[in-house]
Amino acid sequence: MKMTLHSLWLCAGLILACCTLTASAQMQPLSEAELSSMHGQGIVAMTNTSLNGFDFSKVSLDADIALSANLRNVRLGEYTYSARNGTGADLDISLLQFGRSDGSEAQRLVHIANPYFEFVYRNAADGASREAIGMRFGFEAISGDIGMKINTLSGSMAVTGIAADGSTVQLDSRSDALGGKRWDGSCTAPCLTLAQVGA
C-alpha cells in the first residue's frame, strides 16, 4: 500500500512537471534550394477554360469521399417557364440515395473521387453582357449503389438500359423536341423514361 501511494505521488509529480513545460516553435526562412524540395497541394483546385464562345470555371475538391446519405426534395432553378413549366423547377429530384441500408457493409457506402462544380458563362467583351448560363455538378469517378427518383430535368442526360426482352433501351434528353428543358422523361417507345430509372 505504501509502495503504491509512493508510485502514485511520483507519477503525479512527473505529469505535473511535463504539463508545466512549454513547447515553442519559431518560423525560419528557407533557402531557394530548400523551398524547391518542398511539395504540397491544396484540397480545392480551380481551373478556367474556354470553348466555342463559352467560359468554364471548374472548382474541384481534390479528395476521395465515402458517403452514405439520403436526400429528399432537391429542387434547383425554380421559376416560371411557359413553354413547359413541368413541376416548376429545372431540377426536381424527390429522392436521391447514396448507399443502401439493407445490404452488406460494402454496399452501405458510395465512393466518390474528386467531386466538382463547374459554372458556364457566355463570353462577352464587357462585363454587362457577360452572364452565367449554366452549372454542372459531377465527379471524376463514382462507385456504389445509387438510387433516385427524378421528376423533371433541364440539361443533358443519357442512360442506357436493358429491356426485359434483352434489347437495349435508352433515355436521352437530347432527343427531346424542347432540348431537354423541364423534361419529364416522356418519350416514344421503345425507350427508357425517368420514372423507370431507379438505381
Side-chain angles (χ1 to χ4, degrees), residues 4-89:
T4 304
L5 285 174
H6 182 66
S7 297
L8 285 174
W9 280 111
L10 181 62
C11 287
L14 285 172
I15 291 171
L16 185 61
C18 288
C19 290
T20 58
L21 295 176
T22 57
S24 63
Q26 184 175 345
M27 294 185 68
Q28 297 289 327
L30 296 174
S31 68
E32 289 297 320
E34 290 170 318
L35 281 173
S36 67
S37 67
M38 299 293 169
H39 298 280
Q41 181 175 336
I43 193 166
V44 177
M46 183 163 180
T47 56
N48 294 307
T49 56
S50 295
L51 180 67
N52 297 333
F54 296 104
D55 290 339
F56 299 84
S57 293
K58 184 175 181 180
V59 180
S60 56
L61 185 64
D62 189 19
D64 292 332
I65 298 170
L67 180 67
S68 176
N70 292 327
L71 307 173
R72 294 188 182 275
N73 301 321
V74 177
R75 290 173 59 88
L76 296 172
E78 290 188 7
Y79 56 90
T80 302
Y81 179 64
S82 58
R84 181 194 280 161
N85 205 39
T87 64

Side-chain angles (χ1 to χ4, degrees), residues 159-170 189-192:
V159 177
T160 302
I162 305 297
D165 63 0
S167 63
T168 300
V169 289
Q170 191 171 38
C191 64
L192 192 63

